[in-house]
């Protein structure tokens, strides 16, 4: 039952991205201490467990905006608050159609060359499988370039069978995604790449 569910998700549950602006242009190394974390770039990637002729891609233009989103009981917001855009795109070779969606970034946390972010979907193209208002999680590994200018970057994402709630006799349902929640970056980037600028999570401003 689980295998069937994953197969269906592999065909129809992946949306992915188009171009995003990148005004950071470099990693944090050798640039001093950046004031805000950031993730930018565009990349196509493959699923290591499901080979096909489809083209899946993500674009990220996300920047940390600490303590900018007040929540009930948390009027200051969180150190992981962020803003920006995620664009997702999935070309289905079998159907000869490209599905697209766009989301508003609400959370970003980084480490050296790594990032996890979430975005709430705001736009879905015709036939797209992603619901407006749904939060999705993404992870990025920025491996830089090798001597032949090839990227070793990777991405991960919170659907396609990696965020399920097993239990009972029925096929497991997809679990809700909280802020900044995503699996490890498991999918190799085959074209393009990402830049992660790491910054430590700041303490709230003193008044």
């Amino acid at each position: 039952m689980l295998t069937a569910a994953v197969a269906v998700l592999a065909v129809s549950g992946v949306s992915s991205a188009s171009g995003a602006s990148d005004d950071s242009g470099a990693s944090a190394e050798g640039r001093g201490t950046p004031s805000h974390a950031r993730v930018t770039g565009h990349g196509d990637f493959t699923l290591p467990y499901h080979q096909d002729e489809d083209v899946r891609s993500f674009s990220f233009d996300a920047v940390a905006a600490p303590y900018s989103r007040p929540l009930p009981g948390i009027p200051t917001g969180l150190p992981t608050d962020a803003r920006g855009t995620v664009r997702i795109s999935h070309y289905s070779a079998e159907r000869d159609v490209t599905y697209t969606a766009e989301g508003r970034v609400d959370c970003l946390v980084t480490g050296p060359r790594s990032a996890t972010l979430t975005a709430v979907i705001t736009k879905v193209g015709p036939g797209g499988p992603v619901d407006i208002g749904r939060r999705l999680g993404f992870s990025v590994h920025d491996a830089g370039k090798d001597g032949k200018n090839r990227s070793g970057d990777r991405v991960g994402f919170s659907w396609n069978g990696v965020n399920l709630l097993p239990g009972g006799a029925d096929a497991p349902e997809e679990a809700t995604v909280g802020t900044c929640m995503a699996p490890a970056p498991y999918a190799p980037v085959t074209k393009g790449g990402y830049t992660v600028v790491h910054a430590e999570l700041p303490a709230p401003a003193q008044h």
Side-chain angles (χ1 to χ4, degrees), residues 6 9 43 50 59 65 92 95 101 103 106 110 113-114 143 165 170-171 181 191 199 204:
V6 172
L9 286 164
H50 183 80
S59 287
S92 169
R95 301 170 187 172
D106 64 356
T110 63
R113 295 194 176 277
S114 65
L165 288 173
D170 296 329
M181 294 291 98
K191 182 180 179 181

Side-chain angles (χ1 to χ4, degrees), residues 17-114:
S18 63
S21 63
D22 180 357
D23 57 16
S24 61
S27 72
E29 295 181 3
R31 297 268 179 163
T33 302
S35 58
H36 294 296
R38 192 174 186 96
V39 181
T40 55
H42 168 85
D44 298 347
F45 61 90
T46 59
L47 300 179
Y49 53 86
H50 183 80
Q51 302 301 313
D52 55 26
E53 299 300 319
D54 290 10
V55 179
R56 301 169 173 87
S57 41
F58 295 149
S59 287
F60 301 122
D61 188 355
V63 63
Y67 306 105
S68 63
R69 296 178 180 274
L71 294 170
I74 313 176
T76 61
L78 299 170
T80 54
D81 289 343
R83 57 181 172 82
T85 303
V86 171
R87 294 184 176 88
I88 54 183
S89 152
H90 176 195
Y91 169 72
S92 169
E94 179 182 2
R95 301 170 187 172
D96 192 24
V97 63
T98 298
Y99 303 104
T100 63
E102 183 174 309
R104 182 186 68 252
V105 174
D106 64 356
C107 189
L108 170 66
V109 62
T110 63
R113 295 194 176 277
S114 65

